[in-house]
Amino acid sequence: MKNFLTSCLGTVVGIIVVFFLFIFWIAMVIRSDKVVEVNDNSVLFIKLDRPIQELELEDPVAELIGESESIGLTELRSAIKHAKDDPKISGIYLNAPQVGAAFSTLDELRKSIEDFRTSGKWVISYSEGYTEGGYYVSSASDKVYMNPSGSMELNGLAIDVMFFKKLFDKLEIKPQVFRVGDFKSAVEPFIRDNMSDENKLQLNEMIKDIYGHMTSEIARSRNLPAERIKEIADKMLVRNSKQAVEFGLIDSLFYDDQVKADMRQRLGLTEDAKIPLVKYSDYRSSFTPDMSSKNEIAVIVADGEIVGGKSEADGLVSSDVISEQIRRARTSSKVKAIIIRVNSPGGVFTAADEMWREVDLAAKEKVVIGSMGDYAASGGYYLSMACDTIVAQPNTITGSIGVFSVLFDLTDFMGDKLGITSEEVKTGEIGNMYSPTRHLTQQEKDIWQRQTDEIYEIFTSKAAQGRNMSQDDIKKVASGRVWTGTQAKERGLVDVLGSFDDAVKIAAEQAGIAGDYKLRYYPKRKSFLEQRFGDMEDDIRASVLKEKTGDLYPWFRQWERIKNYEGTQARMPFEFIIQ
């Protein structure tokens, strides 16, 4: 019976594998045969209803049944740029009610839309309602339309920080914290139940700067005074469609059929003619970027949390993987310039230092430009600071030059809650520097603090070297404090305020290849099968954990993330949501 059941299990697994391979084969065949032809006088339809990340995940099966799970900022910008010069595209129809992206990404999209409009082509936006981010992008359009019964959220920004101290107190878990600087507040959620005055100060100044940039950009697009936009948001004077028109935020209140009538008029079509809309996902397949140039600019994308070792999981920046890509670009005769595209809140210090070494070596041989996305803080800034030129968006969150160490003392939790005790035998005064099953001695605490101080000295000295500043001057803007891109430029941490396109232009000009280059992105994305089988393993593990933990599963996942804080970190001093 045991052998029979084993054989049955093997057969079932085999059938599942064959099924997935069959689906994959069908998807690839259909995709390879799929030829997207764009008709004359077409309209590019962009619907921003999925999270936006740096690079899009290729998933032919998802594309067969609908859309992929996310939108790649790189691919979207490329499509808009191509549509600008495509004689078959007459305009863009944008639907962005609620955009899953931070404000620097939204800035990149706004600039792409504005650049498209310089061709003389039009962009119209329509939605049943707008959130802050959705309206921010849409306001760059020629015309912004809204459903007559729609609502609008334009009420300023807020930062929400979550604290875990009371939870740890109940569980008798004692975080042991070692840090440098008044503003290195990543550890505050573990040791406080509210914000420190220093943290409130930096968050207030940062969000005001982001808010000021947002309102000024909306005001510029809508031809309204910035003070007026700020007043509307501060007092939430606009909540519905009628008020949106009254205050000049929306051009007209239309239903879907009226929007289409407007497009037909723009396209010169008859009343009943079908509008030649081409979806963004289809339009991407209608053209191939020109890769004929022999001059390559290698764009190395560091998108996610910094970790050591070799990992190709999405959302992680692996030191081994990124270091290898930088090394290859440095030694390749085809690569004339390198762009380090950073979108990271930081992470493990030693991993950031490994990548910094490769950036520093590359900058001695080739042009290396840093391009900052939504975040380039702490370890993310560490990765950027050896670049020749650093380009950031005004809303980029950067800086956070500082380090901290967190060790979780589980002695009381294990003894009082679980009934587990332990005892240690050692050869010297120190033995094991850290064990979660015992308290740290004062001698061990002193060693951990000294190590944290020493690493801070390394961080600030290398930052001073990269920025051509004295270490004392760097320390004045360090201490773990975060800045917006605008604030960072004022303090010498950033060279240029601009978009990814600006970083590319600078790289090409400094390398002497302006007008004759191609972009290649690294590391290359995982294959479809690697994605699917990797996701399958994660899904099975998650299902088992959900079944075992029940309602406690969300808290377990949060604890899994907290455990990544153990050891010395160069990480953004808080995790927050701007809304």
Side-chain angles (χ1 to χ4, degrees):
M1 179 61 69
K2 180 179 179 181
N3 291 336
F4 174 73
L5 292 176
T6 302
S7 299
C8 290
L9 179 61
T11 302
V12 171
V13 171
I15 292 173
I16 293 174
V17 171
V18 170
F19 173 76
F20 272 99
L21 288 173
F22 179 68
I23 294 296
F24 170 70
W25 176 76
I26 292 176
M28 293 305 294
V29 168
I30 294 176
R31 188 179 181 190
S32 62
D33 292 340
K34 182 180 179 182
V35 178
V36 177
E37 293 187 4
V38 180
N39 298 321
D40 291 334
N41 208 23
S42 289
V43 177
L44 176 59
F45 177 42
I46 300 175
K47 187 173 184 178
L48 302 179
D49 59 346
R50 289 161 285 149
I52 301 175
Q53 57 188 50
E54 284 294 326
L55 293 173
E56 199 159 310
L57 294 177
E58 297 293 339
D59 189 341
V61 173
E63 291 176 11
L64 275 181
I65 60 178
E67 302 285 357
S68 59
E69 296 178 357
S70 63
I71 298 173
L73 175 62
T74 298
E75 291 82 358
L76 179 56
R77 290 174 60 258
S78 176
I80 296 174
K81 187 173 184 179
H82 187 270
K84 174 186 174 183
D85 300 318
D86 188 344
K88 294 186 177 182
I89 297 295
S90 298
I92 290 178
Y93 173 32
L94 177 65
N95 179 239
Q98 182 172 353
V99 186
F103 280 93
S104 291
T105 294
L106 302 183
D107 270 331
E108 292 276 1
L109 292 179
R110 278 180 56 88
K111 289 183 178 179
S112 291
I113 292 171
E114 290 176 341
D115 179 65
F116 176 87
R117 290 177 57 190
T118 62
S119 65
K121 299 179 181 181
W122 48 265
V123 180
I124 63 171
S125 176
Y126 174 70
S127 177
E128 294 180 355
Y130 289 100
T131 60
E132 217 118 23
Y135 180 72
Y136 184 51
V137 174
S138 300
S139 63
S141 305
D142 292 277
K143 294 292 183 180
V144 184
Y145 302 138
M146 186 177 174
N147 186 285
S149 59
S151 61
M152 173 175 283
E153 177 193 351
L154 187 63
N155 56 351
L157 305 179
I159 294 180
D160 186 20
V161 181
M162 187 177 293
F163 296 88
F164 303 97
K165 182 182 182 300
K166 291 184 178 180
L167 172 65
F168 287 156
D169 288 344
K170 290 181 179 180
L171 296 176
E172 296 186 70
I173 295 175
K174 295 182 176 61
Q176 300 171 100
V177 174
F178 309 94
R179 57 178 171 171
V180 183
D182 296 329
F183 292 93
K184 202 62 192 177
S185 47
V187 295
E188 283 193 359
F190 307 146
I191 59 177
R192 299 177 60 99
D193 55 16
N194 58 7
M195 294 184 198
S196 65
D197 291 338
E198 294 80 8
N199 199 12
K200 284 183 180 179
L201 172 65
Q202 70 173 348
L203 290 183
N204 273 321
E205 291 188 1
M206 185 180 68
I207 199 171
K208 285 179 181 177
D209 196 60
I210 294 174
Y211 182 46
H213 176 76
M214 184 193 78
T215 53
S216 65
E217 287 295 288
I218 292 175
R220 179 176 61 84
S221 297
R222 299 300 301 172
N223 293 317
L224 293 169
E227 295 77 13
R228 184 56 168 162
I229 297 295
K230 188 175 183 301
E231 180 187 16
I232 292 170
D234 286 347
K235 300 179 180 179
M236 202 175 180
L237 299 178
V238 173
R239 297 177 299 279
N240 56 48
S241 56
K242 183 180 178 181
Q243 293 167 336
V245 172
E246 179 184 342
F247 284 91
L249 301 181
I250 298 294
D251 293 293
S252 299
L253 301 182
F254 283 167
Y255 288 100
D256 180 69
D257 64 294
Q258 293 172 299
V259 176
K260 290 177 179 177
D262 178 89
M263 279 192 282
R264 287 190 183 94
Q265 183 179 5
R266 292 173 181 272
L267 297 171
L269 300 177
T270 59
E271 184 177 343
D272 298 325
K274 182 178 180 181
I275 299 173
L277 290 176
V278 54
K279 293 193 300 183
Y280 152 70
S281 56
D282 290 333
Y283 187 68
R284 278 183 55 206
S285 304
S286 70
F287 66 93
T288 302
D290 183 10
M291 303 297 286
S292 60
S293 175
K294 295 181 179 179
N295 301 317
E296 178 182 329
I297 297 178
V299 183
I300 298 171
V301 180
D303 183 13
E305 182 179 333
I306 294 174
V307 297
K310 186 173 184 178
S311 173
E312 296 182 357
D314 290 316
L316 295 179
V317 178
S318 163
S319 59
D320 285 359
V321 172
I322 298 299
S323 295
E324 181 183 2
Q325 298 300 328
I326 299 173
R327 194 179 306 117
R328 286 182 177 180
R330 170 170 60 89
T331 57
S332 172
S333 59
K334 297 179 181 179
V335 176
K336 308 303 181 184
I338 301 171
I339 295 177
I340 310 295
R341 175 65 176 179
V342 182
N343 192 11
S344 172
V348 178
F349 175 80
T350 53
D353 194 45
E354 284 287 343
M355 293 183 286
W356 170 89
R357 168 65 175 171
E358 291 298 330
V359 175
D360 187 53
L361 289 174
K364 289 179 171 63
E365 299 183 27
K366 296 183 177 180
V367 172
V368 181
I369 306 299
S371 172
M372 294 180 169
D374 294 322
Y375 304 97
S378 207
Y381 186 78
Y382 201 105
L383 182 55
S384 311
M385 62 192 186
C387 295
D388 301 312
T389 304
I390 298 177
V391 182
Q393 287 280 10
N395 287 336
T396 295
I397 296 173
T398 186
S400 187
I401 300 173
V403 293
F404 66 91
S405 304
V406 179
L407 307 172
F408 292 98
D409 181 357
L410 306 181
T411 309
D412 296 336
F413 169 72
M414 296 181 70
D416 298 342
K417 304 296 185 184
L418 304 181
I420 299 174
T421 59
S422 66
E423 189 172 0
E424 183 181 69
V425 176
K426 56 187 178 182
T427 58
E429 294 182 12
I430 304 300
N432 187 4
M433 265 292 289
Y434 165 64
S435 171
T437 59
R438 68 171 178 83
H439 306 298
L440 286 179
T441 66
Q442 187 57 50
Q443 184 180 11
E444 290 166 341
K445 290 179 180 179
D446 293 340
I447 292 173
W448 272 104
Q449 186 59 57
R450 283 199 300 272
Q451 287 181 340
T452 306
D453 293 339
E454 290 165 359
I455 291 174
Y456 181 65
E457 289 299 311
I458 294 172
F459 197 161
T460 53
S461 66
K462 289 183 176 179
Q465 172 190 331
R467 302 310 301 157
N468 294 317
M469 298 168 64
S470 70
Q471 192 170 0
D472 287 340
D473 286 339
I474 281 290
K475 286 183 176 180
K476 292 176 183 178
V477 296
S479 293
R481 181 163 181 171
V482 293
W483 308 98
T484 63
T486 301
Q487 294 169 333
K489 185 177 184 300
E490 292 170 354
R491 290 158 178 80
L493 299 179
V494 165
D495 296 298
V496 178
L497 292 180
S499 64
F500 175 74
D501 281 342
D502 294 317
V504 172
K505 183 179 179 181
I506 292 170
E509 289 177 349
Q510 291 189 10
I513 56 173
D516 181 21
Y517 62 86
K518 60 185 176 185
L519 296 179
R520 284 193 183 275
Y521 294 84
Y522 303 94
K524 293 182 178 179
R525 309 299 288 178
K526 292 186 295 182
S527 70
F528 169 76
L529 286 179
E530 289 173 330
Q531 293 173 32
R532 278 298 155 210
F533 285 110
D535 293 344
M536 186 187 302
E537 181 180 343
D538 293 340
D539 290 344
I540 292 173
R541 180 173 178 270
S543 297
V544 172
L545 286 173
K546 283 181 181 179
E547 184 175 347
K548 288 184 177 181
T549 57
D551 294 337
L552 297 177
Y553 177 73
W555 295 103
F556 175 81
R557 293 294 295 170
Q558 189 66 39
W559 172 248
E560 287 273 284
R561 297 184 66 230
I562 290 172
K563 286 197 302 181
N564 291 333
Y565 280 65
E566 283 193 335
T568 304
Q569 305 282 314
R571 187 185 295 268
M572 194 168 66
F574 40 76
E575 292 188 5
F576 61 84
I577 298 172
I578 299 180
Q579 45 186 325

